[in-house]
Amino acid sequence: ELNRTGKSIKNNLDARLKQLAGDAKTILVLQQNMPEKVRNKYKKDLLDENRAYDYLFEIQIAWHYHLQGYEIKWYEEDGSPEFLVKTPKFDFNVECKRISVDGSRKIRRIDFYRLVEILWPQIEYYNLKGTIDLELYDRLHSDNQYLTNLSSQILDFFKCEVVGAFDIPYGHIVLNLTQKNDEIINLEKSYQKLLVRKAPEAHGVIFPNKRNGNIVNPLELTIKSRKANKVLDGIKKKIQEAALRQLPSSKPGLIICFLEGIPKLDELASDSGLQLMSYHILGKSENSHVAAIAYCSEQRIFKSQNSEIYNCQSLLFRNPNCSFPEIKNFSFFSEEMVI
């Protein structure tokens, strides 16, 4: 279409198309050394509407090691690791896991988005801006009746300016609502402040209003549950199963987990539940063949004058008890792994 209309391809491709082209290039190169059975499997798996990204993550990790000059050997057998990385000094297995952090949360994103879709048209009716912080006694339920009732409990406060903390049937709400005054805001800075202000386990959204091309009169909503999430339990179970069932003990193994919906890993590097859970798994004698457990964030785009870099942040926990000393100081990937 760009060729037909005489437009510059370089200047008119959006981020999604650029990423699609990069993924296509990666697949074209890697599939040349895949056994026919593996190649046919990816032909089918990469078209799976529900799990295509799971399999694409495996491709992207293999591409990282291909770029380092290492040979990739793909496993054909079911229940095996994804692939073997052959370095000049030793080989190691790689098992990839895509983990939906959202699935173990009391407030799931999909339910939060549905609540927002119910609230947004009705919020527009009121001439208020400010913040709404909601804490539920239980989880955010998925059924429409619950979400409709919860939105009604929130909107009951929109009849006038309200500042204060109040109990509602489903939980507790803290409000700071005032009349709109068309104050112009920087949406990007407001979003960063929201990420700092809200609790780590909470979801948040900014309802913006536009006037003369500017963002004005924002309304922020955060929501969390008083009940504990079981995110770490879900991750722990997947990793432990991968260590015992998919990584043979005859070679060192690396387990790499993509944490869906997590944009940054900085706060998880030390003194976090993720760190403690990872070292708990690595401390078990039956997992001594596991050289390390790694986590990858959502992909980010860094732009410069002449290039765009698509990468994800990575976090690596090495096994101090690994039974393969030759892999002890191996650099599995840089601090920010380009994929």
Side-chain angles (χ1 to χ4, degrees):
E1 177 65 17
L2 292 173
N3 277 327
R4 187 184 67 80
T5 56
K7 294 181 179 179
S8 165
I9 294 177
K10 179 180 178 181
N11 296 329
N12 288 280
L13 289 180
D14 64 23
R16 292 178 301 170
L17 285 174
K18 291 176 183 177
Q19 192 169 351
L20 181 64
D23 291 337
K25 173 69 174 179
T26 300
I27 294 166
L28 282 171
V29 173
L30 290 180
Q31 63 92 28
Q32 296 175 19
N33 294 319
M34 288 180 182
E36 184 177 0
K37 181 179 179 181
V38 175
R39 188 163 57 246
N40 289 335
K41 176 180 179 295
Y42 275 117
K43 281 183 180 180
K44 174 176 63 71
D45 291 342
L46 289 171
L47 295 178
D48 186 323
E49 290 186 6
N50 296 318
R51 294 195 60 202
Y53 282 110
D54 299 12
Y55 303 112
L56 186 58
F57 179 60
E58 301 168 5
I59 294 285
Q60 291 170 331
I61 296 298
W63 180 249
H64 169 70
Y65 290 113
H66 171 81
L67 292 180
Q68 310 309 309
Y70 302 136
E71 180 185 349
I72 305 297
K73 178 185 176 183
W74 299 88
Y75 285 102
E76 299 184 58
E77 302 82 9
D78 293 335
S80 298
E82 261 64 70
F83 52 84
L84 179 76
V85 178
K86 298 177 74 68
T87 78
K89 295 183 178 180
F90 53 82
D91 304 340
F92 65 93
N93 289 308
V94 177
E95 173 63 23
C96 300
K97 293 293 180 186
R98 184 181 178 95
I99 296 175
S100 174
V101 175
D102 202 48
S104 302
R105 284 176 169 166
K106 295 299 179 182
I107 309 291
R108 297 195 307 156
R109 278 183 299 170
I110 188 171
D111 299 326
F112 177 65
Y113 294 155
R114 290 174 62 205
L115 176 65
V116 169
E117 287 176 356
I118 295 173
L119 280 173
W120 176 237
Q122 301 181 71
I123 283 175
E124 284 283 84
Y125 175 79
Y126 298 93
N127 198 38
L128 296 174
K129 68 170 189 173
T131 60
I132 304 170
D133 297 315
L134 181 64
E135 184 178 43
L136 300 175
Y137 297 137
D138 201 353
R139 59 183 291 267
L140 181 64
H141 295 282
S142 303
D143 62 275
N144 289 330
Q145 186 60 53
Y146 176 91
L147 294 174
T148 301
N149 290 343
L150 178 57
S151 64
S152 297
Q153 293 172 25
I154 295 172
L155 291 168
D156 281 344
F157 293 96
F158 272 68
K159 297 171 184 176
C160 60
E161 294 187 21
V162 178
V163 176
F166 308 90
D167 289 323
I168 60 175
Y170 289 164
H172 188 74
I173 191 168
V174 179
L175 303 168
N176 187 6
L177 302 175
T178 60
Q179 289 291 315
K180 294 179 179 179
N181 59 4
D182 292 345
E183 178 186 358
I184 298 174
I185 65 139
N186 182 307
L187 188 58
E188 184 175 346
K189 289 183 178 180
S190 295
Y191 180 68
Q192 293 299 323
K193 289 180 180 178
L194 174 63
L195 291 178
V196 172
R197 185 177 71 83
K198 75 176 186 67
E201 69 274 16
H203 289 288
V205 67
I206 298 178
F207 297 96
N209 287 279
K210 280 191 174 181
R211 183 156 301 177
N212 299 324
N214 296 313
I215 304 296
V216 298
N217 304 318
L219 182 74
E220 294 182 7
L221 169 68
T222 69
I223 181 171
K224 68 176 183 178
S225 171
R226 288 185 180 178
K227 291 206 169 182
N229 290 320
K230 296 184 178 180
V231 174
L232 289 178
D233 289 342
I235 298 175
K236 178 181 176 182
K237 182 179 179 181
K238 281 197 170 186
I239 294 176
Q240 185 60 64
E241 288 181 351
L244 295 180
R245 298 183 182 180
Q246 292 175 281
L247 288 178
S249 59
S250 56
K251 282 185 171 59
L254 171 66
I255 301 174
I256 305 182
C257 304
F258 172 72
L259 299 181
E260 181 183 349
I262 304 297
K264 295 179 66 177
L265 302 176
D266 303 74
E267 297 179 356
L268 301 175
S270 61
D271 298 324
S272 69
L274 188 70
Q275 180 195 40
L276 294 174
M277 180 271 292
S278 301
Y279 281 127
H280 173 74
I281 293 175
L282 294 173
K284 293 185 175 182
S285 59
E286 64 264 33
N287 297 330
S288 62
H289 62 295
V290 180
I293 300 171
Y295 301 94
C296 294
S297 70
E298 289 277 5
Q299 200 168 77
R300 301 175 297 173
I301 304 176
F302 293 88
K303 296 182 180 182
S304 62
Q305 186 175 358
N306 299 314
S307 67
E308 292 181 1
I309 296 176
Y310 294 71
N311 72 8
C312 63
Q313 202 172 30
S314 56
L315 184 60
L316 181 78
F317 297 112
R318 296 182 183 272
N319 188 352
N321 307 306
C322 182
S323 55
F324 298 93
E326 64 271 21
I327 204 170
K328 180 179 180 181
N329 297 315
F330 178 72
S331 179
F332 287 102
F333 40 66
S334 60
E335 183 179 353
E336 292 192 339
M337 180 175 60
V338 179
I339 58 176

